Amino acid sequence: MNLSTDIWVYALIRRVQLAGSNAAIVRKGDATGGAVLVRTWDARDRAAHLYTLAQAGNGESVWMQPLQGAAEPDLDAYAERAVKRDPDIWIVEIEDVDGKRFLTEAVT
Protein backbone atom coordinates (compact mmCIF):
# COMPACT_ATOMS: atom_id res chain seq x y z
CA MET A 1 0.00 0.00 0.00
CA ASN A 2 1.28 3.45 -0.88
CA LEU A 3 -1.19 5.25 1.38
CA SER A 4 -1.14 5.33 5.14
CA THR A 5 -3.23 2.50 6.53
CA ASP A 6 -5.93 4.71 8.02
CA ILE A 7 -6.57 6.50 4.71
CA TRP A 8 -6.65 3.17 2.84
CA VAL A 9 -9.13 1.68 5.33
CA TYR A 10 -11.43 4.71 5.22
CA ALA A 11 -11.32 4.65 1.39
CA LEU A 12 -12.28 0.96 1.43
CA ILE A 13 -15.20 1.68 3.75
CA ARG A 14 -16.34 4.53 1.53
CA ARG A 15 -16.20 2.27 -1.59
CA VAL A 16 -18.34 -0.28 0.23
CA GLN A 17 -20.85 2.35 1.37
CA LEU A 18 -21.13 3.88 -2.10
CA ALA A 19 -22.09 0.43 -3.40
CA GLY A 20 -24.89 0.24 -0.83
CA SER A 21 -23.21 -2.35 1.37
CA ASN A 22 -21.98 -2.24 4.96
CA ALA A 23 -18.47 -2.04 6.37
CA ALA A 24 -17.10 -1.47 9.83
CA ILE A 25 -13.75 -1.12 11.50
CA VAL A 26 -13.67 -3.89 14.09
CA ARG A 27 -10.19 -3.00 15.31
CA LYS A 28 -8.06 0.07 14.72
CA GLY A 29 -4.36 -0.45 14.41
CA ASP A 30 -1.41 1.80 13.69
CA ALA A 31 -2.55 4.69 11.49
CA THR A 32 0.53 4.83 9.30
CA GLY A 33 1.78 1.29 8.91
CA GLY A 34 -0.56 -1.27 10.42
CA ALA A 35 -1.40 -4.42 8.51
CA VAL A 36 -5.04 -5.06 7.54
CA LEU A 37 -7.27 -8.10 7.78
CA VAL A 38 -10.49 -7.89 5.76
CA ARG A 39 -13.33 -10.17 6.72
CA THR A 40 -16.24 -10.45 4.31
CA TRP A 41 -19.72 -11.83 4.84
CA ASP A 42 -21.63 -13.13 1.84
CA ALA A 43 -25.26 -12.78 2.93
CA ARG A 44 -26.56 -14.87 0.05
CA ASP A 45 -24.30 -17.89 0.71
CA ARG A 46 -24.08 -17.18 4.45
CA ALA A 47 -20.31 -17.59 4.29
CA ALA A 48 -17.47 -15.61 5.84
CA HIS A 49 -14.02 -15.16 4.29
CA LEU A 50 -10.83 -13.62 5.61
CA TYR A 51 -8.21 -11.85 3.52
CA THR A 52 -4.72 -10.62 4.37
CA LEU A 53 -2.29 -8.64 2.24
CA ALA A 54 0.82 -10.48 1.05
CA GLN A 55 3.64 -10.03 -1.46
CA ALA A 56 3.55 -12.09 -4.66
CA GLY A 57 6.72 -13.53 -6.13
CA ASN A 58 6.99 -10.56 -8.49
CA GLY A 59 6.84 -8.10 -5.57
CA GLU A 60 3.26 -6.98 -6.18
CA SER A 61 0.75 -6.80 -3.36
CA VAL A 62 -1.98 -9.45 -3.46
CA TRP A 63 -4.76 -10.45 -1.10
CA MET A 64 -4.78 -14.07 0.03
CA GLN A 65 -7.07 -16.17 2.16
CA PRO A 66 -5.02 -17.62 5.03
CA LEU A 67 -7.88 -20.03 5.81
CA GLN A 68 -9.97 -21.12 2.83
CA GLY A 69 -13.28 -22.77 3.53
CA ALA A 70 -12.95 -22.21 7.27
CA ALA A 71 -15.86 -21.80 9.67
CA GLU A 72 -16.45 -18.46 11.38
CA PRO A 73 -14.94 -19.55 14.73
CA ASP A 74 -11.73 -20.50 12.89
CA LEU A 75 -11.61 -17.09 11.21
CA ASP A 76 -12.14 -15.40 14.58
CA ALA A 77 -9.36 -17.47 16.14
CA TYR A 78 -7.00 -16.58 13.28
CA ALA A 79 -7.76 -12.86 13.76
CA GLU A 80 -7.16 -13.13 17.51
CA ARG A 81 -3.79 -14.80 16.93
CA ALA A 82 -2.89 -12.13 14.36
CA VAL A 83 -3.64 -9.37 16.90
CA LYS A 84 -1.43 -11.08 19.48
CA ARG A 85 1.43 -11.26 16.95
CA ASP A 86 0.88 -7.73 15.63
CA PRO A 87 -0.88 -5.23 17.92
CA ASP A 88 -0.83 -2.64 15.10
CA ILE A 89 -3.20 -4.65 12.88
CA TRP A 90 -6.54 -3.32 11.61
CA ILE A 91 -9.59 -5.54 11.13
CA VAL A 92 -12.34 -4.47 8.73
CA GLU A 93 -15.60 -6.34 8.20
CA ILE A 94 -17.63 -6.05 4.99
CA GLU A 95 -21.14 -7.36 4.51
CA ASP A 96 -22.45 -7.55 0.96
CA VAL A 97 -25.46 -9.40 -0.37
CA ASP A 98 -23.41 -10.61 -3.37
CA GLY A 99 -20.26 -11.37 -1.39
CA LYS A 100 -18.15 -8.66 -3.06
CA ARG A 101 -14.77 -8.03 -1.44
CA PHE A 102 -14.22 -4.47 -2.70
CA LEU A 103 -10.45 -5.08 -2.71
CA THR A 104 -8.70 -3.37 -5.61
CA GLU A 105 -5.54 -5.50 -5.58
CA ALA A 106 -5.48 -9.04 -6.96
CA VAL A 107 -6.88 -11.85 -4.81
CA THR A 108 -5.16 -15.23 -4.92
Side-chain angles (χ1 to χ4, degrees), residues 88-99:
D88 294 333
I89 201 164
W90 291 68
I91 301 175
V92 178
E93 287 192 3
I94 298 171
E95 183 178 330
D96 181 74
V97 72
D98 296 321

Side-chain angles (χ1 to χ4, degrees), residues 9 12-14 16-17 21-25 92-95 102:
V9 166
L12 172 63
I13 289 173
R14 186 68 179 140
V16 172
Q17 291 171 338
S21 297
N22 297 309
I25 298 171
V92 178
E93 287 192 3
I94 298 171
E95 183 178 330
F102 297 95

Side-chain angles (χ1 to χ4, degrees), residues 54-62 106:
Q55 293 289 322
N58 59 5
E60 289 186 32
S61 295
V62 296

Side-chain angles (χ1 to χ4, degrees), residues 1 52-64 105-108:
M1 279 186 248
T52 184
L53 198 58
Q55 293 289 322
N58 59 5
E60 289 186 32
S61 295
V62 296
W63 289 94
M64 60 170 265
E105 297 84 4
V107 176
T108 60

Side-chain angles (χ1 to χ4, degrees), residues 27-104:
R27 183 176 196 289
K28 283 188 177 184
D30 182 68
T32 58
V36 180
L37 286 178
V38 175
R39 182 179 172 155
T40 61
W41 174 252
D42 183 339
R44 185 173 295 158
D45 293 339
R46 303 194 54 75
H49 302 279
L50 188 67
Y51 300 91
T52 184
L53 198 58
Q55 293 289 322
N58 59 5
E60 289 186 32
S61 295
V62 296
W63 289 94
M64 60 170 265
Q65 292 185 56
L67 302 172
Q68 292 187 2
E72 277 193 79
D74 296 330
L75 300 179
D76 292 338
Y78 181 91
E80 288 175 21
R81 289 191 306 272
V83 168
K84 287 180 183 175
R85 284 189 312 270
D86 181 4
D88 294 333
I89 201 164
W90 291 68
I91 301 175
V92 178
E93 287 192 3
I94 298 171
E95 183 178 330
D96 181 74
V97 72
D98 296 321
K100 288 185 275 187
R101 298 179 295 253
F102 297 95
L103 302 172
T104 56

